[in-house]
Amino acid sequence: MLDIVIEARKASLAPGMDVRRILPFRLKRMVGPFIFMDHAGPVNSRPDPGHTMDVLPHPHIGLSTVSYLFGGQVTHRDSLGLEQIIRPGEVNWMTAGSGIAHSERFEDPATLAGGNLEMIQTWVALPEKDEEAAPSFNNFKPEQLPVFTDTGVWMRLIAGNAYGLRNDVKTHSPLFYLHVALEKGARFGLPKEHPERGIYVAKGSIEVAGRMYTIGQMLVFDKGADPVILAKEPATLMLLGGEPLGERFIWWNFVSSRKERIEQAKADWKEGRILLPPTDNAEFVPLPTDRSKPAGGPSPQALS
C-alpha cells in the first residue's frame, strides 16, 4: 500500500535557480539509500544582471551525487581536476567519500534560453564501510544506459537493477534509479526487487488506486505493495529506491552515519583542508552559519 506522499518544497540554490526539494522530508528522510532529491527547472528566466545561476565550488562527504538532465547542459569541475559537460540522458556519478569539492556552471547561453534547462539531482548515501572511500567521478553516455520500451512505456535505467535491466554504473549498495516516460493511458508497475520504492512525478499526472497525483509529488510504497500506475496524460516519472542503510545525519552538503564526522567536515571546509577544483578555485561557497543543533537535520542551504 501507499506509505506516504511527499510534496516538494521550494528551495533556492542560487539567484534565479529555485528548485523543488523532495528529499529529505521530515517524515521520510530516505527512500532506500537515496537521501536527497532536487528537481530544477524548467528555467524560464535569466538571472538579474550581475548575478549568475552557477553553483560555486562547495564540498561533500559520505555520499554520491547523481546528476541527470532533461534539457540544457551543465559543466562540472571538481577537486580531482576533472571537468565534464553533462547533457540530457547522461549520468554524472560523483562519489564524495572522504571529501571532494565541485562546481556546476551554466556556461552555454542557450541553456538558459526558452526554458531549456531542467535537471534532477539525487544524493545516494554510502554504506558505513564506504563513507571514507577515495573520491571518484564518472560520466555515462546514453548508449551505456539500457532502455526498455513497451506499449506506451519508455524507460532508461540510470543505475542499479530493475525489471531485469542492469548497467555498468557502479553503486555501493543495492538500489534502482529509472527515468520513465508514459503515454496517456499507459499502465505501469513498480519493480519488485527492492524493499523501498518511490515514484516522483516530474511531468504530467498519474492515477494510483483511484487518486490523482501530479508534478512535484513523490509516492513512497510499503514493501510488497504492487500498485498499478495509470498515466492520465503524458507523464515523466523518476523511480528510485533500494535497500535501507540505517540512520544518516545530514547537514548542508555533508552526510554521515556519525555526527562527529560532520563536525570534522565543517572544520575541514572552513580551514581549507578540502581542496577546491584546480580549474575553478577563484571563489567558493563559505560554510553556512550553523543555527541548528550540531549535525542536525537538513540545512535549507544544501547544494547539489
Side-chain angles (χ1 to χ4, degrees):
M1 63 179 294
L2 182 61
D3 177 31
I4 192 171
V5 178
I6 298 173
E7 301 281 351
R9 292 89 63 205
K10 181 180 176 180
S12 180
L13 298 187
M17 177 59 86
D18 291 335
V19 300
R20 296 180 179 90
R21 179 150 299 159
I22 303 99
L23 292 174
F25 182 62
R26 61 186 178 84
L27 298 179
K28 189 67 177 178
R29 305 279 290 172
M30 302 170 69
V31 179
F34 290 86
I35 194 168
F36 181 93
M37 185 176 193
D38 269 359
H39 179 187
V43 174
N44 51 27
S45 62
R46 293 177 179 270
D48 295 333
H51 291 88
T52 174
M53 290 170 51
D54 292 345
V55 181
L56 302 182
H58 59 278
H60 291 286
I61 66 161
L63 56 86
S64 294
T65 66
V66 188
S67 300
Y68 186 82
L69 270 65
F70 295 134
Q73 67 178 50
V74 181
T75 301
H76 160 100
R77 296 181 179 92
D78 64 39
S79 51
L80 300 176
L82 298 172
E83 181 173 323
Q84 177 70 53
I85 295 176
I86 178 174
R87 297 179 172 87
E90 299 179 356
V91 172
N92 267 17
W93 190 289
M94 184 185 76
T95 296
S98 59
I100 197 171
H102 77 137
S103 63
E104 291 161 306
R105 294 188 179 270
F106 307 96
E107 297 174 336
D108 178 8
T111 290
L112 304 181
N116 188 38
L117 175 64
E118 186 173 9
M119 66 183 293
I120 300 279
Q121 188 169 88
T122 56
W123 297 354
V124 180
L126 297 173
E128 289 186 36
K129 66 180 180 62
D130 296 313
E131 285 184 316
E132 299 301 323
S136 63
F137 174 86
N138 288 284
N139 171 269
F140 299 88
K141 304 301 182 186
E143 57 268 23
Q144 296 175 273
L145 308 172
V147 168
F148 173 82
T149 59
D150 200 353
T151 304
V153 177
W154 176 96
M155 63 180 175
R156 171 183 288 133
L157 181 70
I158 296 171
N161 69 288
Y163 306 108
L165 301 176
R166 294 179 179 274
N167 62 27
D168 293 330
V169 177
K170 181 182 178 182
T171 64
H172 292 83
S173 65
L175 60 85
F176 74 99
Y177 189 23
L178 295 126
H179 170 195
V180 177
L182 302 178
E183 296 178 5
K184 181 179 179 179
R187 295 177 181 270
F188 192 68
L190 285 175
K192 300 178 181 179
E193 299 95 323
H194 302 276
E196 295 194 358
R197 300 162 298 161
I199 302 169
Y200 173 67
V201 184
K203 298 179 184 180
S205 60
I206 59 173
E207 180 183 299
V208 178
R211 294 193 62 179
M212 183 89 73
Y213 302 94
T214 188
I215 182 170
Q217 294 182 302
M218 173 179 275
L219 288 64
V220 183
F221 291 89
D222 293 331
K223 183 178 180 180
D226 190 19
V228 175
I229 303 157
L230 171 64
K232 300 299 288 183
E233 59 182 311
T236 298
L237 313 176
M238 304 300 285
L239 274 59
L240 56 81
E243 293 286 341
L245 294 179
E247 185 178 27
R248 289 293 184 274
F249 301 97
I250 178 172
W251 187 89
W252 194 35
N253 306 311
F254 305 138
V255 170
S256 180
S257 59
R258 298 178 291 122
K259 289 183 178 181
E260 62 272 18
R261 180 64 181 92
I262 291 182
E263 297 303 315
Q264 181 63 55
K266 294 180 187 179
D268 288 344
W269 184 243
K270 189 174 182 179
E271 300 299 324
R273 290 189 289 267
I274 300 177
L275 298 179
L276 293 171
T279 57
D280 192 356
N281 57 15
E283 52 187 346
F284 62 90
V285 181
L287 189 76
T289 301
D290 185 2
R291 296 187 176 90
S292 64
K293 296 179 181 178
S299 164
Q301 296 149 320
L303 294 172
S304 57

